[in-house]
Amino acid sequence: MALWLLLVLLLVGGAALYGAWRVLWQPNVAQSPYGPAYLYIRTGASYEAVRDSLRRQELLLDPTTFEWLAARRNYTRQVKPGRYRLEVGLSNAKLLDMLLTGRQDTVAFTLDAFKYKPQLTRQISRQLEADSLELRRLLQDNAFLQRRYQLDTTTILTLFLPGSYRLFWNTSARTFLDSAAATHRRFWTPLRRQRADSLGLSPTEVHVLASIVQRETAKKEDKPIIAGVYLNRLRRGMRLQADPTLLWAIGNFGVKRVLNRDKLVDSPYNTYKNKGLPPGPITSANRQSLNAVLQPAAHRYLFFCARPDFSGFSDFAETYADHKRNARRYQRTLDSLGVKR
């Protein structure tokens, strides 16, 4: 009799241990044909929203055991937002440890160059939880921008360096701006600031000029030469006469041919009418363009024109007469192709 009782107790105990192991440690994250799955938990989300997301996306093999353990570990009242990477074979205990501690994965993304603020907010809202309306509001809050970044609504585009970023998915609009500012500060080393000073430019002015250079050419070899042209013109008190600033002023970067009537537009960005740099950048300048301005080619060129072979390179000239000859060759090519605008 005692032996039977012992056997029963062993069976019951074994079943209990197996049940506990199954709830706690048995792999419960489902296999995905696309690699690791991600659980997105929005800021302010309830436990019910998390539970429904896990079930709807079929991320767990047995949702019931997870929900039972979540209730007993009080996760139902400790939901933390974020983007969580769910590796195949993760147990309920390990999954809850990750969710309870907020041990989320980061998002790696590339910030592309942009010309207008709405293009920035669209990029960020596709990558992060950051509220696009809040980001748009902050970008238009002149007092906030001046107080926090010493920039205004016109120059704020100089804060953003295109390139790779890695942030938490639930990064807020304000935190994203602070992160961009930190990247900006790391770029502006004492040596770069010294170079800007030697050119008679502030960091913001370097960004503005670099944005023009960037719109003029994608050719790495030509960027320092074009930067040198514009710096030569600034030193002589000449107008920049930069076509990209004109296209920004008329709101049409798709134009292939600038017409004389375009040069009459009334805008502070019309560098055919106004001397000096425009009040703000016409695109977010990348590191290559910024470095081209900070390390311009030394020469006496005052003019340049796109080559008629459409290679993307430019022909440079010291005199207006030589420049006119270069310009006529390019214009004749456009005429032969029937390009009117």
Side-chain angles (χ1 to χ4, degrees), residues 11 54 56 88 112 123 134 144 274 291 296 314 334 339:
L11 287 172
L54 287 167
R56 185 174 58 255
V88 174
D112 296 322
Q123 278 196 65
E134 175 66 5
F144 166 77
N274 305 297
N291 287 327
S314 297
L334 293 180
V339 177

Side-chain angles (χ1 to χ4, degrees), residues 229-265:
V229 169
Y230 283 131
L231 288 167
N232 287 345
R233 294 179 76 87
L234 287 172
R235 292 188 192 101
R236 295 194 179 201
M238 299 171 64
R239 292 180 178 85
L240 293 184
Q241 296 185 335
D243 287 353
T245 65
L246 204 58
L247 301 182
W248 199 96
I250 65 176
N252 188 353
F253 278 101
V255 168
K256 300 294 184 184
R257 196 169 195 169
V258 171
L259 305 179
N260 285 331
R261 68 169 181 266
D262 298 326
K263 300 173 184 178
L264 302 176
V265 65

Side-chain angles (χ1 to χ4, degrees), residues 168-304:
F168 288 123
W169 173 75
N170 60 314
T171 295
S172 67
R174 184 172 297 209
T175 303
F176 165 70
L177 292 178
D178 287 346
S179 177
T183 300
H184 184 273
R185 286 193 298 272
R186 286 194 294 272
F187 175 82
W188 280 102
T189 61
L191 178 59
R192 287 194 173 107
R193 288 184 179 275
Q194 184 180 6
R195 285 175 177 166
D197 288 341
S198 70
L199 297 170
L201 300 174
S202 69
T204 297
E205 289 171 329
V206 170
H207 277 271
V208 174
L209 183 52
S211 75
I212 299 173
V213 171
Q214 186 164 305
R215 290 300 306 177
E216 289 283 14
T217 184
K219 298 299 183 182
K220 180 181 179 180
E221 300 88 339
D222 271 10
K223 284 186 177 185
I225 308 174
I226 291 175
V229 169
Y230 283 131
L231 288 167
N232 287 345
R233 294 179 76 87
L234 287 172
R235 292 188 192 101
R236 295 194 179 201
M238 299 171 64
R239 292 180 178 85
L240 293 184
Q241 296 185 335
D243 287 353
T245 65
L246 204 58
L247 301 182
W248 199 96
I250 65 176
N252 188 353
F253 278 101
V255 168
K256 300 294 184 184
R257 196 169 195 169
V258 171
L259 305 179
N260 285 331
R261 68 169 181 266
D262 298 326
K263 300 173 184 178
L264 302 176
V265 65
D266 185 19
S267 168
Y269 287 84
N270 183 350
T271 56
Y272 278 85
K273 292 178 67 174
N274 305 297
K275 284 188 176 182
L277 292 166
I282 58 172
T283 190
S284 50
N286 58 32
R287 288 168 174 78
Q288 189 181 90
S289 300
L290 290 164
N291 287 327
V293 172
L294 291 170
Q295 296 178 285
H299 55 66
R300 297 174 62 184
Y301 296 135
L302 292 172
F303 308 94
F304 67 94

